[in-house]
Amino acid sequence: MSEILVLVEQVDGEVKKVTLELLTLARSLGTPSAVWAGPGFGADAKAKLAEYGAEKIYVAGSADVVDHVVAPKAELLAQLVGSAAPAAVLVAATAEGKEVAGRLAVKTDSGVITDAVGVGEGFVADQSIFGGGVNVHSRVTKGTPIIAVRPNSTAPAPAPAAGAEEEVSVALSDAAKASKIVERVKQEKGARPELTEAAIVVSGGRGVGSAENFSIIEGLADVLGAAVGASRAATDAGWYPHQFQVGQTGKTVSPQLYIAAGISGAIQHRAGMQTAKTIVAINKDPEAPIFELADFGVVGDLHQIVPQLADEVSKRK
Amino acid sequence: MNIVVCVKQVPDTATERKLRSDDKTLDRDAADGVVNELDEYAVEEALKLKEAHGGEVTVLTMGPGKATETIRKALAMGADKAVHLSDDALHGSDALSTSYAMAQTLKKIGFDLVILGSESTDARTGVLAAMLAERLGAAQLTLANKVDVEGSSISIQRLTDYGYDKVEATLPAVVSVVEKINEPRYPSFKGIMAAKKKPVETLSVGDASIDAAQVGLGAAWSEVVDFAAAPPRAAGTIVKDEGDGGVKAAEFLASKKFI
Ligand SMILES: Cc1cc2nc3c(=O)[nH]c(=O)nc-3n(C[C@H](O)[C@H](O)[C@H](O)COP(=O)(O)OP(=O)(O)OC[C@H]3O[C@@H](n4cnc5c(N)ncnc54)[C@H](O)[C@@H]3O)c2cc1C
Ligand SMILES: Cc1cc2nc3c(=O)[nH]c(=O)nc-3n(C[C@H](O)[C@H](O)[C@H](O)COP(=O)(O)OP(=O)(O)OC[C@H]3O[C@@H](n4cnc5c(N)ncnc54)[C@H](O)[C@@H]3O)c2cc1C
């Protein structure tokens, strides 16, 4: 079977769920090889990648690969496309993943598909466009298909494989080192699941009213084991950090369940959550556009409803 | 500083957006064309940098004839002049050919700094800035919520999953911006009047030394196989809170096995 490269997403040496999804998807298309970029590769990561079907793991452990913006990862993948001649390359459709895919496409003279929500036979990708209004099948027609796949598109399932490690050294060009990352500023993340990966997301908007009141949203998220999201109105007001913004210019999420509290449902917000499987809205305005999307909606004051819902969820657990 | 800001005309997100049934490309006639929202932030940032450091701001738009409306809006905000890359040969270009055509044009018109939005509202690929940096051999400074220029040094804050990275480079560079970076100005009446007299240079594929065989639908590196309207979401159940709204929501979650 033909080789499929999967670029690993990791935090502090721990493999992210989206990578396990991509490996699972890659198994249906060929033989997955994981590609690790940067330092921090260890026994746990190796075991995890092998458990989910990585036949090979290419490890480029040099810090240079992650200390410059995007370009080195594209150069690493381009080198592997040259040496391994894979049938396709899969990356996570995060903002950075898509940028890697873009540069790789130029380098390898290949087509790129972004924001796939599935990939089938012949590397035909499913895309959901125009805010979920149109479903498209698309495919790359030149070069090696490079496909950026959205998190939560596939349910990860283990299928152990060899996980044979192979060291890779990349000779980075000067152009790839043009943008140097001089500092990484980490803002509080907490113990909640990551926004784009979570099965359940509870988001708050302007209706939450203040930074303190976001504890109501967090309270519901915690009893559900959910991630917390926010509308732009809430992040702009400084009530919640920007990296939790859901929408056009924030994160795109496709959870099983999305709960929107005090969010009107502006088109830019919908662009980031419309593909959630089930949507629940809580809003005091019965005319709020978010109700057009909701599978279940409650018209009323979120300050009453959300804590009551959280209580009821803990009672039923 | 010679700043080029890339402005795309996109269909208004408030109207129904469609693909054409004949060649499966964006139906640009079905909806009103507007400036891609994030590109107004790109223009604003370009104007601010010009105000602080001097230089000139050029708008670059690739798109059909009607994209001139979009160009005028950017000029009305305060950009000095515009280049409109417009040619039927470009119709149906994918990200690879769009980035190629724009890179060729940028090489022709020259730049110290190129500023883009981080994503368009229609195609939303979010790849263009990275592709331009790759093609131009310029530093990639993307997803910026802050830009600082000093002489030939440039630094940004790049938004990440955990917060942000501080990134440094030397000009020339390609920057893409997120909406946190500034608040775009509204064109003043004076600005709107002045925009009518500002120079807009229209370039064909040949004018910009673009190989016609590398652009357009026929040259695309990817294709739409087929498409269909998504089935409408089934209407949901909406209840009014009578003091038991939270309980009712919990019942719904239980019925869907979330709890
Ligand atoms: C370039 C650009 C990019 C953007 N990107 C994004 C993005 O990524 N994400 C995003 O979210 N937005 C984005 N926006 C902004 C978007 O247009 C909206 O302004 C934003 O989503 C509004 O947030 P909101 O729904 O919280 O606030 P509002 O629209 O003000 O809605 C608040 C809602 O809360 C309800 N409410 C108030 N009090 C209560 C209460 N006590 N109980 C229950 N309900 C209550 C109100 O009825 C109202 O419906 C973008 C805009 C632009 C121009
Ligand atoms: C629904 C849809 C899905 C698509 N999917 C794909 C795909 O998966 N792969 C693919 O190769 N092509 C795809 N295309 C084609 C794609 O639209 C074009 O290649 C487009 O020119 C670049 O993509 P973008 O608008 O997504 O750029 P983005 O990278 O999202 O745009 C970022 C910025 O680039 C600048 N910019 C973009 N286009 C222009 C322009 N014409 N003039 C001036 N500035 C511009 C703007 O500053 C903008 O804010 C798709 C098109 C549609 C309509």
Side-chain angles (χ1 to χ4, degrees):
Chain A
M1 284 258 270
S2 47
E3 192 170 348
I4 314 280
L5 298 184
V6 171
L7 179 63
V8 176
E9 294 265 331
Q10 48 107 1
V11 185
D12 301 332
E14 201 182 315
V15 178
K16 286 197 178 170
K17 183 167 135 248
V18 64
T19 299
L20 309 180
E21 295 166 8
L22 262 52
L23 288 171
T24 305
L25 179 62
R27 291 201 317 261
S28 69
L29 304 164
T31 308
S33 294
V35 181
W36 185 281
F41 183 69
D44 287 354
K46 183 175 166 145
K48 197 71 163 192
L49 295 170
E51 184 190 349
Y52 282 83
E55 200 61 48
K56 264 190 218 168
I57 307 170
Y58 297 105
V59 180
S62 151
D64 257 0
V65 177
V66 288
D67 286 348
H68 302 90
V69 175
V70 172
K73 287 185 182 164
E75 231 157 69
L76 162 65
L77 286 170
Q79 182 177 318
L80 290 169
V81 166
S83 60
V89 181
L90 305 184
V91 302
T94 56
E96 171 155 328
K98 294 203 284 181
E99 293 185 334
V100 173
R103 292 192 80 126
L104 176 63
V106 171
K107 278 186 185 299
T108 58
D109 195 25
S110 300
V112 60
I113 305 282
T114 61
D115 293 297
V117 292
V119 183
E121 209 184 314
F123 300 103
V124 173
D126 305 311
Q127 285 173 300
S128 165
I129 64 165
F130 301 151
V134 179
N135 294 329
V136 173
H137 287 122
S138 53
R139 92 177 141 219
V140 166
T141 48
K142 288 192 207 167
T144 307
I146 297 165
I147 307 176
V149 184
R150 279 211 185 138
N152 275 333
S153 297
T154 314
E165 195 176 325
E166 200 174 299
E167 287 290 326
V168 187
S169 74
V170 275
L172 294 180
S173 67
D174 287 344
K177 292 192 278 192
S179 300
K180 176 133 182 70
I181 298 170
V182 291
E183 191 184 345
R184 292 188 167 82
V185 180
K186 307 211 169 166
Q187 290 165 335
E188 206 47 59
K189 169 170 166 278
R192 293 190 187 92
E194 195 179 306
L195 190 50
T196 53
E197 308 220 315
I200 304 181
V201 175
V202 183
S203 287
R206 197 192 306 276
V208 174
S210 67
E212 299 72 53
N213 283 348
F214 253 84
S215 62
I216 303 175
I217 303 297
E218 292 182 331
L220 177 58
D222 289 343
V223 292
L224 288 167
V228 173
S231 72
R232 179 182 172 196
T235 60
D236 276 2
W239 300 345
Y240 224 68
H242 68 76
Q243 67 265 36
F244 296 95
Q245 181 170 315
V246 171
Q248 168 78 37
T249 43
K251 300 283 181 332
T252 299
V253 300
S254 304
Q256 296 298 322
L257 171 63
Y258 188 85
I259 302 181
I263 293 178
S264 60
I267 186 89
Q268 298 92 344
H269 188 79
R270 293 158 71 138
M273 46 68 72
Q274 201 138 13
T275 51
K277 312 289 174 300
T278 301
I279 296 170
V280 172
I282 299 164
N283 195 305
K284 67 177 185 193
D285 174 10
E287 304 295 324
I290 191 79
F291 285 127
E292 292 162 18
L293 293 184
D295 298 289
F296 190 82
V298 186
V299 179
D301 184 0
L302 72 90
H303 301 96
Q304 307 298 321
I305 298 162
V306 174
Q308 188 181 67
L309 172 56
D311 276 352
E312 195 64 24
V313 172
S314 8
K315 269 193 235 157
R316 286 170 186 249
K317 276 209 289 210
Chain B
M1 193 167 31
N2 184 359
I3 307 173
V4 180
V5 42
C6 300
V7 176
K8 184 182 189 184
Q9 185 178 55
V10 295
D12 190 346
T13 51
T15 56
E16 196 196 345
R17 293 169 291 169
K18 293 187 204 150
L19 294 180
R20 278 161 53 158
S21 52
D22 53 354
D23 67 358
K24 306 184 193 111
T25 63
L26 181 66
D27 190 340
R28 293 179 192 274
D29 298 325
D32 291 337
V34 297
V35 179
N36 181 46
E37 272 170 348
L38 270 174
D39 300 352
E40 293 181 19
Y41 295 75
V43 173
E44 177 65 33
E45 201 56 24
L47 295 174
K48 281 190 159 161
L49 288 169
K50 176 191 157 172
E51 282 154 15
H53 303 281
E56 194 174 43
V57 176
T58 306
V59 173
L60 170 58
T61 296
M62 166 173 150
K66 85 175 205 188
T68 44
E69 302 154 19
T70 300
I71 293 172
R72 290 292 166 202
K73 168 102 194 258
L75 292 173
M77 284 176 73
D80 299 296
K81 59 187 175 67
V83 172
H84 185 182
L85 179 60
S86 188
D87 197 313
D88 288 345
L90 295 165
H91 169 76
S93 292
D94 65 357
L96 270 292
S97 11
T98 302
S99 63
Y100 162 70
M102 289 186 40
Q104 289 299 100
T105 312
L106 284 161
K107 282 181 202 163
K108 187 182 160 64
I109 63 182
F111 61 92
D112 299 310
L113 185 59
V114 184
I115 308 185
L116 297 85
S118 52
E119 194 177 280
S120 67
T121 56
D122 57 354
R124 294 193 71 189
T125 64
V127 297
L128 221 70
M131 284 182 163
L132 285 182
E134 176 72 36
R135 290 194 188 273
L136 297 167
Q140 178 184 334
L141 297 173
T142 47
L143 305 171
N145 74 344
K146 190 170 189 297
V147 179
D148 289 301
V149 176
E150 228 185 279
S152 63
S153 301
I154 177 165
S155 64
I156 65 155
Q157 287 187 1
R158 169 180 167 85
L159 292 194
T160 64
D161 281 346
Y162 46 80
Y164 61 88
D165 287 348
K166 284 191 181 159
V167 185
E168 292 176 359
T170 307
L171 296 174
V174 177
V175 164
S176 80
V177 301
V178 299
E179 93 290 351
K180 302 273 179 252
I181 195 161
N182 58 39
E183 200 45 63
R185 65 195 70 182
Y186 287 104
S188 64
F189 179 71
K190 209 171 129 227
I192 293 167
M193 296 315 286
K196 295 189 174 146
K197 297 195 200 82
K198 288 180 178 170
V200 179
E201 186 186 3
T202 304
L203 298 182
S204 68
V205 156
D207 296 335
S209 309
I210 294 164
D211 175 0
Q214 301 287 311
V215 294
L217 194 57
W221 278 254
S222 53
E223 67 172 10
V224 172
V225 180
D226 55 41
F227 68 91
R233 276 191 103 95
T237 311
I238 312 294
V239 300
K240 194 171 175 313
D241 181 29
E242 310 278 7
D244 61 351
V247 176
K248 290 230 172 90
E251 281 163 6
F252 172 79
L253 296 187
S255 76
K256 294 282 178 187
K257 309 253 179 307
F258 288 115
I259 49 176

